[in-house]
Amino acid sequence: MTAVEEKRATEVVEICRFDRLIPGRGVAALLPDGRQVAIFRTMTDDVYALSNVDPFTKAAVLSRGIIGDVKGVPHVASPMLKHRFELATGYSLEDETVAVRTYPVRVIEGVVYIQP
């Protein structure tokens, strides 16, 4: 791993305070490079980050999706065509060949950070 790759692997972006996230809802955030990320806080206070772009419609709408779970696996349903994506892995529950990018999330002293 080069020094640049190593630096990128440890970079984090501050998103917001944890208490600003509403359980069971998502919000969109803009990364410094212009990518949109959907941040979700579940009813059990777990936090996940996915690309905000629905790969089926190319619309940046996943942050407005509905959070649910299938057999204990949390997912978000896109508000466009209702495709569901696992919050932890980004994989589509309807088409296992499709996935959205996920981002590592950390909550440190009440602040949510993601690693782009």
Side-chain angles (χ1 to χ4, degrees):
M1 183 180 287
T2 69
V4 171
E5 290 171 326
E6 195 169 311
K7 182 176 185 276
R8 284 188 190 134
T10 59
E11 283 180 6
V12 292
V13 174
E14 182 177 330
I15 300 299
C16 66
R17 296 211 37 86
F18 176 77
D19 59 9
R20 298 287 312 255
L21 299 174
I22 299 170
R25 307 254 329 252
V27 297
L30 189 61
L31 297 179
D33 65 4
R35 286 179 288 162
Q36 290 189 36
V37 178
I39 311 295
F40 298 96
R41 177 178 172 187
T42 66
M43 297 305 286
T44 57
D45 288 337
D46 295 313
V47 181
Y48 297 93
L50 308 169
S51 169
N52 194 35
V53 178
D54 179 332
F56 293 100
T57 64
K58 307 298 185 226
V61 295
L62 290 183
S63 63
R64 292 184 274 152
I66 298 171
I67 295 177
D69 73 73
V70 174
K71 297 181 182 176
V73 177
H75 68 269
V76 61
S78 173
M80 298 294 285
L81 300 175
K82 309 302 183 245
H83 287 101
R84 298 170 299 164
F85 301 93
E86 286 186 28
L87 292 176
T89 66
Y91 281 101
S92 168
L93 297 178
E94 282 72 40
D95 184 344
E96 63 188 32
T97 66
V98 177
V100 295
R101 180 175 178 176
T102 60
Y103 297 86
V105 178
R106 291 189 287 189
V107 179
I108 302 170
E109 297 181 9
V111 178
V112 178
Y113 297 90
I114 67 165
Q115 185 177 331

